[in-house]
Amino acid sequence: MSHRERIQHSPSQPPSPSGLGAGDGVGADESNRILVVTSDPSIGPVLSGPLADAGYDATLVGEGRAALDRLKAEPKPDLVLADLALPDMRGTELCRTIRADPTTRTIPLIIVTSLDSETDRIVAFELGVDDFVGAPFSVREVLLRIRVQLRRPVGAAARGGVIEIGALRLDRDAHRTWVKDDEVSLSAREFRLLEALMERTERVLSRQALLDLVWGAAANVGVRAVDAYVTRLRRKLGAAREYVETVSSVGYRLKRPTG
């Protein structure tokens, strides 16, 4: 298999073995471009047909550096599917590079890989991936997870810029946070949790809603993970910890300070 392959869609193609298509609720808008990064024959070829059948404009590359070259070009993909096991670089390094670049950090990133240990998942999520699917996988599930990511609102989060609520300031582009004039060091997950709350100030967000916004459709993460991260976030916010309010039996909201 070549390191770069265009996945073409032909209206006359027979249905893929998965039986997926527009009528199954997982079809794509014609503008949906997907970059698939893997050299694993059990992943790329298995997904190629169903992606095309679902209407995606997909490009398959077999190396991390080829993926980074593609991400420098325009138009950029609307979503990246990446393997952690790549022949020329670590998949985690690819994820780190994508999330560090202001021009690509908001592109939804889903890991599809045979490297499926708990450590692999934790490291990937800490680096800011949106979802993680371990092989062997259900093709239908992968397509549904793609659909979920492409439906997520990107307006405020994708525009970059600074959000200020009282003493709390969050800079999306620089990926930095301050309470008054003191910078607060947050992990990628804590930053995204705070960003989700600040973008929806005064709105109550259920634990499940926060799980969807911050973790994506990760199957092995329960809603109680939200509680643990909120606790860690409050601890780090110090004087601004009271901004994050618990709404009993529902979830959390970020409230504006009074006075």
Side-chain angles (χ1 to χ4, degrees):
M1 182 181 69
S2 64
H3 288 311
R4 184 178 180 87
E5 176 185 340
R6 195 66 173 176
I7 303 173
Q8 299 290 349
H9 173 59
S10 170
S12 61
Q13 269 188 306
S16 67
S18 62
L20 292 169
D24 295 290
V26 293
D29 296 332
E30 62 182 27
S31 61
N32 289 150
R33 296 175 296 273
I34 297 181
L35 178 62
V36 183
V37 191
T38 182
S39 61
D40 189 333
S42 70
I43 297 176
V46 171
L47 290 176
S48 297
L51 284 170
D53 290 342
Y56 292 109
D57 177 11
T59 299
L60 176 64
V61 297
E63 295 183 345
R65 290 185 180 86
L68 294 176
D69 288 342
R70 172 61 186 85
L71 286 164
K72 293 176 183 176
E74 297 290 345
K76 296 195 185 303
D78 297 298
L79 182 142
V80 176
L81 287 176
D83 193 352
L84 290 182
L86 298 173
D88 62 330
M89 65 188 301
R90 293 185 178 182
T92 51
E93 185 59 31
L94 174 65
C95 296
R96 183 179 291 107
T97 303
I98 290 173
R99 286 296 178 248
D101 187 337
T103 68
T104 60
R105 67 165 49 130
T106 61
I107 296 175
L109 175 58
I110 300 177
I111 297 299
V112 182
T113 186
S114 59
L115 300 180
D116 190 23
S117 70
E118 180 181 14
T119 299
D120 292 321
R121 287 176 175 266
I122 290 172
V123 170
F125 282 120
E126 285 296 325
L127 289 172
V129 307
D130 295 286
D131 205 351
F132 192 110
V133 182
F137 52 81
S138 158
V139 172
R140 181 176 181 82
E141 179 185 4
V142 173
L143 292 181
L144 288 173
R145 289 182 184 226
I146 289 171
R147 190 70 167 172
V148 166
Q149 292 302 324
L150 291 175
R151 282 177 170 172
R152 287 173 63 183
V154 297
R159 285 196 300 268
V162 176
I163 314 175
E164 292 192 57
I165 307 292
L168 194 54
R169 179 160 52 101
L170 181 144
D171 187 329
R172 297 187 187 96
D173 291 337
H175 211 271
R176 300 172 69 184
T177 308
W178 294 264
V179 175
K180 297 182 179 178
D181 294 324
D182 297 324
E183 186 166 1
V184 180
S185 177
L186 300 179
S187 70
R189 184 72 58 199
E190 291 161 352
F191 184 90
R192 294 175 68 200
L193 174 60
L194 180 59
E195 181 182 31
L197 289 165
M198 291 182 73
E199 287 176 348
R200 299 160 182 82
T201 300
E202 299 294 350
R203 285 175 52 187
V204 178
L205 295 173
S206 68
R207 290 175 176 84
Q208 185 60 54
L210 285 168
L211 196 65
D212 292 342
L213 287 166
V214 179
W215 280 262
N220 290 348
V221 179
V223 293
R224 290 303 169 186
V226 175
D227 296 334
Y229 269 83
V230 167
T231 298
R232 290 167 55 180
L233 179 61
R234 280 176 170 155
R235 188 180 304 125
K236 291 186 176 183
L237 292 181
R241 62 179 297 149
E242 300 302 324
Y243 290 17
V244 182
E245 181 179 49
T246 301
V247 181
S248 181
S249 302
V250 181
Y252 301 94
R253 71 177 160 209
L254 192 131
K255 59 182 182 180
R256 293 184 183 277
T258 58

